[in-house]
Amino acid sequence: MEGLTKSEIKRNALVQATIHLVNNNGFHATPMSKIAKMAGVSPGTIYLYFENKQDLINKVYLEVKVAFTNYAFQNYDEKMSVKRGFEVIWKQIADFKLKEVEEARFLSQCDNTPMIDEESRNEGIKHLQPLLDLWDRGQKEGIIKKGSHYLLYAYTIYPLAFLMNAQCKNEIKITQEQIQNAYVMAWDSIKK
Amino acid sequence: MEGLTKSEIKRNALVQATIHLVNNNGFHATPMSKIAKMAGVSPGTIYLYFENKQDLINKVYLEVKVAFTNYAFQNYDEKMSVKRGFEVIWKQIADFKLKEVEEARFLSQCDNTPMIDEESRNEGIKHLQPLLDLWDRGQKEGIIKKGSHYLLYAYTIYPLAFLMNAQCKNEIKITQEQIQNAYVMAWDSIKK
Amino acid sequence: MEGLTKSEIKRNALVQATIHLVNNNGFHATPMSKIAKMAGVSPGTIYLYFENKQDLINKVYLEVKVAFTNYAFQNYDEKMSVKRGFEVIWKQIADFKLKEVEEARFLSQCDNTPMIDEESRNEGIKHLQPLLDLWDRGQKEGIIKKGSHYLLYAYTIYPLAFLMNAQCKNEIKITQEQIQNAYVMAWDSIKK
Amino acid sequence: MEGLTKSEIKRNALVQATIHLVNNNGFHATPMSKIAKMAGVSPGTIYLYFENKQDLINKVYLEVKVAFTNYAFQNYDEKMSVKRGFEVIWKQIADFKLKEVEEARFLSQCDNTPMIDEESRNEGIKHLQPLLDLWDRGQKEGIIKKGSHYLLYAYTIYPLAFLMNAQCKNEIKITQEQIQNAYVMAWDSIKK
DNA sequence: GATGAATGAGACTTCATTCAT
DNA sequence: TATGAATGAAGTCTCATTCAT
């Protein structure tokens, strides 16, 4: 984190403030003035870094998405077996969602509401490609059930969003044991 | 549906307008004036039926939730076997989500954003009780995996929201065959 | 003026306030809030009567333009001789500019700056047609010099704007005698 | 033009940028930042040469006014006859307005809106003195009609602004023949 | 009950000006 | 001299809510 210019520090503060406030209040209930205040800058300063509110949200979304997929695929290798590869990716995604809660909740909200531009959303989807490729391979090998990527995603990755949200609301506490249970459920749902 | 008083007709129109507009624009991007216009009443009239915007949303949420659970449990009987009971409930939920798209999307948006009061949300959760009871029974009988209700919900019901949203965005078309596939995946994920 | 509804009274107040403030400060230095205050309404009320600031200016422009041309041509008859007709119109225009100073200054400012939409400006120009027709007749009869309508306008009507502005700044006081002098100059400049 | 210091070059660039932008957008719709960008300097730099925006406009106005009058009176000699002197000055003014369109439009806008300080405007008026003196002489000699300088100006010089503006908007194309026609009209309007 | 004109707080955004470098 | 990031007051406009009719 060292070596950041003042500009980078300010921009980071704006990004973090946006994530935090949108998580707690939603997009439209988060005024630019509050974002500025939380970031410790003047309202006008936001417009030095972002064109407008929509641009701010889009850019934050894409940056968080990149961080997310970088984390998700960090120790994954295409030469791994399908089962092993899936486990690695799934657990890293779970890890991200439980450790980087703010970022993960932000992505979840973006993906479940009409607050992101069509264009930015499409850009964000591309990043999952390695997982989709893995599933294709698994289906070819007869290890994974037939079905669209959407179906596989809905039953393996998407449930994590629900668990994460529940934990945020202090409705549950997710332990390592539960993670393991969830992983088994994810795998059971798609394995042949 | 006959025999509704004028008041009931107006209130219904307001509820439907709210659902439709919030679905397409989100809570904060839906002005009361637009709701009134779509319902064919004056803005002031809304306040005869609801205290304010938040109250309107909360009430609509609860009413849709009730309609949803009524539909979900309509042909369910506690004397059914766990597997059969689960299938009946799951398929009725899937049916609701694909047939009553507007209502289902509305619930999904409410459950994934901070637009509903804590209190109303808690109220809405209670309605699922028969399904939770069924799961308890299944776990006691050793048919269903151990794990919290949240976990079971995340892997059986929650994925439907994702599929429904994808269909709304015209990303996929959900056929009866895919419903059956999804059901199998849901059951596989929680069965022991 | 009797029989105006409350709405009409309010709208009139807004129009008058706009004219007065734009005259003294210019378009961009006249905030909507000041217009509202001078009209005795809340800022939001303006938007019940006009779409936005540009629409407000355009509409005021067109309305004043209509009042102006109505005044200009009120006692004019196409059967009058060219000389007589010109005198009638010219003097009525001069009369308007000296009596309805606020309106006249407003038109002058609109016609000399880029504050009015192309479209509204074109709409406003049409209203002078009877004068242009008169000039055409005069040229056919060999009474008026050859030359475009622009040239004739520049030397007969446009000078009045200068005199009016000078009077507004208290640089001169325009007497009936001076009006007569000005009329002679106008006629001399275009007569053959 | 050679031998300008860097400072003078920058200041000139600022003046030219101001003229161009104010012509096309008006005073209040021309941000200092745009002026700086067009002049190739930093916004802060403007404040090394001018006190503030109002001062910038005032100074530009006065400088353009001086250039204008220098041009207007360049070949004029007080010993010329009234008719000849008027022709020389008028045609030089017309020449300036058609050749130095940017400068001329800028003066026109300044003279027709409340964007220039009272004081600067008064300063600018003084420069026409030789023309006013010529008119006084013409009236004494009985060649020119009685009437205030304002009246004479309104009917000889002011019309040129209208023709120039119309040409800028591509409504007319001013030929040498039309200039001659306009000159005749100007002279006819004031000659006895 | 019903209306809808009116309100005014507050949202997003711009821009003249400053000041540390 | 020169920069340009930063400021924050002020502008346009929206919209939840009220109240006289």
Side-chain angles (χ1 to χ4, degrees), chain A residues 57-68:
Chain A
I57 295 288
N58 288 342
K59 293 239 172 80
V60 171
Y61 173 72
L62 285 176
E63 288 175 25
V64 174
K65 198 82 173 187
V66 166
F68 167 70

Side-chain angles (χ1 to χ4, degrees), chain C residues 40-171:
Chain C
V41 301
S42 158
T45 302
I46 299 182
Y47 296 87
L48 295 177
Y49 296 91
F50 304 94
E51 287 173 42
N52 51 42
K53 194 178 181 184
Q54 186 65 57
D55 181 55
L56 165 63
I57 295 288
N58 289 342
K59 293 239 173 78
V60 172
Y61 172 73
L62 285 176
E63 289 175 25
V64 175
K65 198 79 174 192
V66 166
F68 167 71
T69 45
N70 281 348
Y71 196 100
F73 297 117
Q74 56 186 328
N75 296 308
Y76 169 67
D77 182 336
E78 294 187 1
K79 284 172 229 129
M80 288 173 172
S81 74
V82 169
K83 186 163 197 303
R84 177 68 191 138
F86 177 76
E87 187 178 350
V88 166
I89 296 171
W90 190 95
K91 288 196 170 161
Q92 276 168 177
I93 289 177
D95 212 37
F96 183 89
K97 296 212 184 234
L98 295 175
K99 282 193 183 141
E100 309 295 333
V101 184
E102 289 274 38
E103 274 82 357
R105 280 177 74 198
F106 184 78
L107 289 182
S108 168
Q109 192 163 166
C110 289
D111 288 330
N112 281 288
T113 63
M115 76 194 222
I116 296 291
D117 276 358
E118 187 76 10
E119 192 186 3
S120 297
R121 197 192 302 278
N122 291 337
E123 183 68 25
I125 288 173
K126 291 182 196 163
H127 295 289
L128 272 182
Q129 201 55 47
L131 179 57
L132 310 187
D133 292 341
L134 179 72
W135 282 337
D136 286 343
R137 180 150 63 94
Q139 291 178 330
K140 230 174 282 168
E141 295 178 11
I143 296 169
I144 290 179
K145 292 185 181 123
K146 296 286 171 211
S148 75
H149 294 146
Y150 285 92
L151 208 52
L152 300 174
Y153 185 87
Y155 278 90
T156 55
I157 310 303
Y158 196 62
L160 285 167
F162 182 80
L163 297 173
M164 178 193 66
N165 279 327
Q167 179 167 259
C168 284
K169 292 176 207 146
N170 286 316
E171 295 166 349

